[in-house]
Amino acid sequence: MENKPKSACETCSHFNAEGLKKLGVRTVDFDFVIALAGNPNTGKSTVFNALTGLRQHTGNWPGKTVARAEGAFEYNNQKYKLVDLPGTYSLLSTSEDEEVARDFILFGKPTVTVIVVDASRLERNLNLVLQILEITNNAVLCLNLMDEAKRNHITIDTRILAKDLGIPVVPTSARFQEGIPELIQTISELANGKIQCKPHKIKSIPKNIEKSVQELSTAIEKEYPNISNSRWIAFRLLEGDTQIIEALRTGKIANNEI
């Protein structure tokens, strides 16, 4: 029987503060890879710093001009490598930032994707959230900047939001370290399979498009049995994504070289 997504208050009582160590840039010999995604100006870097203790970006993504930040933390004797993805508004690959974020979630196969959103501007952040949930099943929504939401008299029912999205929702104010213990606990439970997600998927698809997607998805899986998320790739092919088309043509997609 699947576990329902847990709210922050349900994970709070289990948090073991003594089991947490911020490891900064020490990202070797890790047990899990965690992706940190979100729109610009959601406090994503602050969440990254709160989790790792790191306060500076290091290096670029291979072959890109986009900055890459990695850090790590250890919790209950397990090491988590945290990769801070570029802040983007979508994953439609119309910019280098979007390509980097999309490709890492799709082909980097992070254990958990933490989606950071601005609680005071939730509606405008949901586009990216829903796109990410089309790619990965293992995600948690970090409802950051709760202090800003409260100042603007905005209240959010996190239980209903978690139910609608099919993933855990953790409210935070990262700059004040509020909600960070609950976020760490939720990441740990997702990584270790203690929480099973059933994320929202697009359902209102015309029958002719659904048929084409299914046929393409089946063909992709036959050609590349180990491919990640053939259904999402099928959608991108139908939309004429030149990068995905080229990756399939050259076979790079099979080796996660896109």
Side-chain angles (χ1 to χ4, degrees):
M1 182 176 179
E2 288 188 343
N3 294 325
K4 294 181 179 179
K6 295 184 179 182
S7 66
C9 60
E10 290 175 304
T11 62
C12 179
S13 60
H14 301 291
F15 183 72
N16 176 16
E18 296 299 322
L20 175 65
K21 295 179 183 178
K22 296 178 181 180
L23 300 179
V25 296
R26 289 180 288 163
T27 59
V28 295
D29 301 324
F30 50 85
D31 298 293
F32 304 111
V33 176
I34 311 301
L36 199 62
N39 287 179
N41 304 314
T42 57
K44 185 163 62 66
S45 294
T46 307
V47 173
F48 178 82
N49 295 339
L51 291 171
T52 66
L54 188 67
R55 296 193 176 279
Q56 59 182 355
H57 290 281
T58 57
N60 286 351
W61 290 84
K64 306 288 184 180
T65 59
V66 180
R68 177 186 180 116
E70 292 184 0
F73 64 89
E74 181 178 323
Y75 180 64
N76 287 348
N77 298 315
Q78 292 179 315
K79 292 182 180 178
Y80 296 76
K81 176 181 178 179
L82 191 65
V83 179
D84 189 10
L85 302 180
T88 62
Y89 293 103
S90 78
L91 297 180
L92 298 181
S93 188
T94 58
S95 70
E96 195 171 48
D97 285 359
E98 291 177 3
E99 286 181 12
V100 166
R102 180 197 69 178
D103 293 349
F104 187 81
I105 296 171
L106 183 60
F107 300 108
K109 298 180 180 179
T111 314
V112 176
T113 298
V114 179
I115 313 170
V116 183
V117 299
D118 180 349
S120 66
R121 296 176 174 83
L122 180 57
E123 186 175 354
R124 69 176 65 177
N125 287 209
L126 286 177
N127 179 50
L128 179 65
V129 174
L130 295 178
Q131 287 184 29
I132 292 174
L133 295 185
E134 285 295 318
I135 299 178
T136 181
N137 289 333
N138 226 25
V140 53
L141 187 73
C142 175
L143 198 60
N144 195 34
L145 299 175
M146 286 297 294
D147 52 308
E148 294 287 341
K150 291 176 182 177
R151 185 157 44 244
N152 288 286
H153 308 290
I154 297 171
T155 58
I156 299 172
D157 191 323
T158 56
R159 288 181 179 273
I160 291 179
L161 185 59
K163 181 180 178 181
D164 289 346
L165 293 176
I167 61 173
V169 174
V170 182
T172 66
S173 293
R175 62 185 136 189
F176 303 115
Q177 293 288 321
E178 294 175 2
I180 296 302
E182 291 84 358
L183 180 61
I184 291 170
Q185 177 63 30
T186 303
I187 291 171
S188 173
E189 293 194 358
L190 279 166
N192 286 284
K194 294 180 180 179
I195 298 176
Q196 300 295 320
C197 297
K198 193 174 181 181
H200 171 89
K201 301 290 184 182
I202 297 173
K203 297 177 181 178
S204 57
I205 301 172
K207 290 183 179 180
N208 61 326
I209 295 178
E210 180 62 38
K211 181 181 178 182
S212 298
V213 167
Q214 289 181 358
E215 290 175 352
L216 268 175
S217 180
T218 300
I220 292 168
E221 289 177 355
K222 184 177 180 180
E223 186 71 21
Y224 304 106
N226 297 320
I227 200 68
S228 300
N229 207 319
S230 61
R231 181 175 172 82
W232 191 86
I233 293 172
F235 272 113
R236 299 309 299 150
L237 289 175
L238 289 175
E239 292 177 3
D241 188 313
T242 55
Q243 189 184 25
I244 295 293
I245 292 170
E246 180 65 13
L248 280 171
R249 188 185 66 79
T250 60
K252 288 183 177 181
I253 205 166
N255 300 317
N256 294 340
E257 295 177 1
I258 186 170

